[in-house]
Amino acid sequence: MKRLIFCALVALCTAQITPPVIAQDFKDRPEWIALKAELVRDNAYDGAALDAVMARVKRQDRVIAFMDAPIRAPTPWHAYWPRHIGGDRLQRGTEFMKANKASFDQAEAAYGVPAQVIAAIIGVETVYGRITGNFRVVEALATLAFDYPRRAEFFRGELKELLLLAREQKKSPLDFIGSFAGAMGWPQFMPGSYRRWAVDFDNDQRIDLWGSSADIVGSVASFLSGHGWQRGEPVMLPIARPSAEIIASIDGGLSPRKTLREYLAAGVTITARDSDVTLPADDAQVGIISLDNADGRDEYWLTFENFYVITRYNRSRMYASSVWSLAYALKQTR
């Protein structure tokens, strides 16, 4: 009797700690069946063709591992920027701009985005095509759409966008290679951004964010313009150390914004400004951020609408600051 009770307890405990088995084959999952039905109904997609693709798509556990990597303490600016704009990025960026001057000039004229900002985005994202990812995008997105509940809705939408993009480009969805989160090409566009903002800038009747420098340059400019880039206005400008009250209001992220008039009235002083940028109207919303240096002395910067447009790529003051730092360095070499 005791032995039977012991065996029963072991079985119960084992059942409780054994993780649920998740099907590796997405084709028969109810989540996929529902998404397929949408594509068939709303986009006239062929259901059999979709199933044929999904039959070859497998769950990628590495994708989940990358998404669930432990959150580390915020990296200080003096350690962050060398990782994102250091190395040979300035040299490679200068060479890339020189080799594609006509495309940069065309994009700047069409969209109002300075060439150095376009180039800096590409440099920060992929070091000018050096690091574009090695995951099958459809597998990364399916894994996140169906087996990553925390952001399943977002990635489900991006999986749908990828399948539509593949049909538009007359390619197999299995052919797209990118990051573990589904970003693609030199600019690291998600499928939705690819469909919405990527442009055929070399007029060859196709959009290629891996092999066409013109398409890459034009598409980054299109993205920034589409998110509200303000032609001729600054990204961020250095200011003298502001009042203790203003410093106390800086939250370490994307600081609350006030009008430019309010900050100037509170004694905020811009310490440097290039002649080719124009301050926005006094009622424009601007912010203030701080960046910590290795010597312990913080830098303070006034951030404008174009700074926040850059954060549409990555919602981080550190990211936008690194893009502008590389852009400014590229501007000097240009």
Side-chain angles (χ1 to χ4, degrees), residues 259-266 281-284:
T259 66
L260 177 60
R261 181 189 301 110
E262 288 177 284
Y263 274 131
L264 295 177
D282 284 352
D283 60 353

Side-chain angles (χ1 to χ4, degrees), residues 9 11 15-16 64-67 72 74 100 131 181 187 207-208 230 234 236 275-276 285 299 304 308 316 320:
L9 287 172
Q16 289 176 336
I64 301 293
F66 277 126
M67 292 296 288
R72 300 176 180 176
N100 298 282
I131 307 167
I207 301 172
D208 181 2
Q230 301 298 301
M236 51 195 297
S275 59
D276 61 345
Q285 294 286 311
E299 303 173 11
F304 297 84
Y308 296 94
S316 160

Side-chain angles (χ1 to χ4, degrees), residues 129-151:
R130 180 188 291 170
I131 307 167
T132 58
N134 57 6
F135 288 85
R136 267 186 175 175
V137 173
V138 69
E139 291 189 324
L141 292 177
T143 299
L144 294 169
F146 303 143
D147 288 336
Y148 194 67
R150 186 162 63 87
R151 298 196 64 194

Side-chain angles (χ1 to χ4, degrees), residues 32 58 87 135 179 222 280:
W32 164 247
K58 302 300 179 185
F135 288 85
S179 77
S222 169

Side-chain angles (χ1 to χ4, degrees), residues 212-227:
S212 169
S213 296
D215 290 357
I216 292 164
V217 169
S219 296
V220 172
S222 169
F223 178 95
L224 294 174
S225 174
H227 284 87

Side-chain angles (χ1 to χ4, degrees), residues 103-115 117-119 121-122 187 189 197-199 201 209 213-229 309 313:
S103 294
F104 278 104
D105 289 347
Q106 182 185 354
E108 190 166 352
Y111 296 106
V113 183
V117 173
I118 302 169
I121 290 277
I122 301 166
F189 275 13
W197 306 114
V199 294
F201 221 51
L209 297 187
S213 296
D215 290 357
I216 292 164
V217 169
S219 296
V220 172
S222 169
F223 178 95
L224 294 174
S225 174
H227 284 87
W229 187 270
V309 170
Y313 241 104

Side-chain angles (χ1 to χ4, degrees), residues 73-83 292 318:
T75 305
W77 170 247
H78 61 82
Y80 181 96
W81 74 261
R83 301 177 191 173
D292 50 330
M318 304 284 260

